[in-house]
Amino acid sequence: EPEVTQTPSHQVTQMGQEVILRCVPISNHLYFYWYRQILGQKVEFLVSFYNNEISEKSEIFDDQFSVERPDGSNFTLKIRSTKLEDSAMYFCASSKYNQPQHFGDGTRLSIL
Amino acid sequence: AQRVTQPEKLLSVFKGAPVELKCNYSYSGSPELFWYVQYSRQRLQLLLRHISRESIKGFTADLNKGETSFHLKKPFAQEEDSAMYYCALSLSSGSARQLTFGSGTQLTVLP
């Protein structure tokens, strides 16, 4: 069964540095999402992406965040200048129209 | 704004006992409800979707609009059911529909 894949599985970065989290959605899916889960807290929606543009974004997704689909397969989340509070598990998901979302394994981001 | 509440962080039952994981939601419209499961060291996986009305791995969940609940039930729990269970809601309109998650219930099925 096809899966959403995320790399790296764990990223350690100094505060203030830029970080890019990568995702390869399922190939025939058209809708892409990023969520995050701070340790001990809920899974929170960050952003959804369709037809090469952002569909929805949450209050968390401020100017330091951006998403991109640089080619036909990758979907990336960039955090421009990381803060300590960005430490979390970041999940990518993808779906077809009106179908449930399929999640990746997540990237654990640790900001030092 | 929509909200999902799972009142139990932890739930333990013995193998063979019935289990019910509670989920309540608040949203003024007609949402779509899901249960996702996360087994140890694995990804979030869809377990149930309310519009499918299926039974997966012996689990069922009925949407009760009057009580705004979507409780997950299984009549006879198995040890392999031990996992983290998340109830989630998405709005029924819009093409790319964000999920709003509850805080999750860690189910432990004891031998």
Side-chain angles (χ1 to χ4, degrees):
Chain A
E1 189 178 320
E3 291 182 337
V4 175
T5 56
Q6 290 186 242
T7 54
S9 55
H10 190 191
Q11 173 82 44
V12 182
T13 301
Q14 292 284 339
M15 186 171 63
Q17 295 295 305
E18 175 183 285
V19 68
I20 297 176
L21 309 183
R22 300 181 194 280
C23 170
V24 179
I26 295 173
S27 62
N28 59 352
H29 286 188
L30 299 177
Y31 300 89
F32 315 118
Y33 311 82
W34 283 102
Y35 294 82
R36 79 168 185 194
Q37 186 175 30
I38 295 171
L39 188 64
Q41 297 187 25
K42 294 184 181 188
V43 177
E44 300 173 290
F45 169 76
L46 291 177
V47 66
S48 59
F49 192 86
Y50 170 70
N51 202 26
N52 281 320
E53 57 184 31
I54 290 173
S55 300
E56 293 177 301
K57 58 182 182 179
S58 71
E59 292 172 354
I60 304 167
F61 194 87
D62 61 23
D63 291 345
Q64 70 160 342
F65 290 91
S66 61
V67 289
E68 198 177 30
R69 189 151 161 84
D71 52 43
S73 58
N74 288 285
F75 178 53
T76 61
L77 174 70
K78 183 195 290 187
I79 309 175
R80 249 180 286 281
S81 177
T82 49
K83 306 186 186 88
L84 293 176
E85 53 264 36
D86 294 327
S87 295
M89 196 75 166
Y90 287 81
F91 294 104
C92 175
S94 69
S95 71
K96 295 182 184 180
Y97 175 73
N98 204 29
Q99 292 298 308
Q101 294 172 33
H102 294 249
F103 284 80
D105 282 332
T107 293
R108 181 170 301 284
L109 178 63
S110 301
I111 307 300
L112 304 179
Chain B
Q2 61 271 23
R3 186 184 175 110
V4 177
T5 303
Q6 293 179 251
E8 304 135 330
K9 280 182 100 79
L10 303 169
L11 183 63
S12 294
V13 299
F14 285 101
K15 178 181 165 182
V19 63
E20 182 180 56
L21 290 86
K22 292 187 167 40
C23 172
N24 288 90
Y25 66 91
S26 61
Y27 177 59
S28 54
S30 293
E32 187 169 3
L33 275 294
F34 304 84
W35 277 98
Y36 278 83
V37 61
Q38 190 172 32
Y39 299 102
S40 179
R41 301 190 215 285
Q42 294 186 28
R43 64 187 62 203
L44 277 163
Q45 303 171 37
L46 178 69
L47 182 63
L48 285 176
R49 184 182 184 191
H50 93 265
I51 62 171
S52 301
R53 301 188 66 81
E54 294 175 298
S55 172
I56 306 291
K57 299 185 180 184
F59 285 97
T60 58
D62 289 317
L63 181 62
N64 185 324
K65 291 186 180 179
E67 294 183 359
T68 60
S69 67
F70 188 57
H71 302 327
L72 183 68
K73 299 177 186 178
K74 184 168 182 176
F76 307 104
Q78 303 300 314
E79 288 179 71
E80 55 265 29
D81 296 329
S82 296
M84 191 72 168
Y85 290 81
Y86 293 97
C87 183
L89 170 161
S90 79
L91 308 184
S92 56
S93 61
S95 56
R97 297 175 292 170
Q98 59 172 286
L99 288 169
T100 299
F101 284 87
S103 52
T105 297
Q106 178 69 49
L107 174 65
T108 302
V109 181
L110 304 166

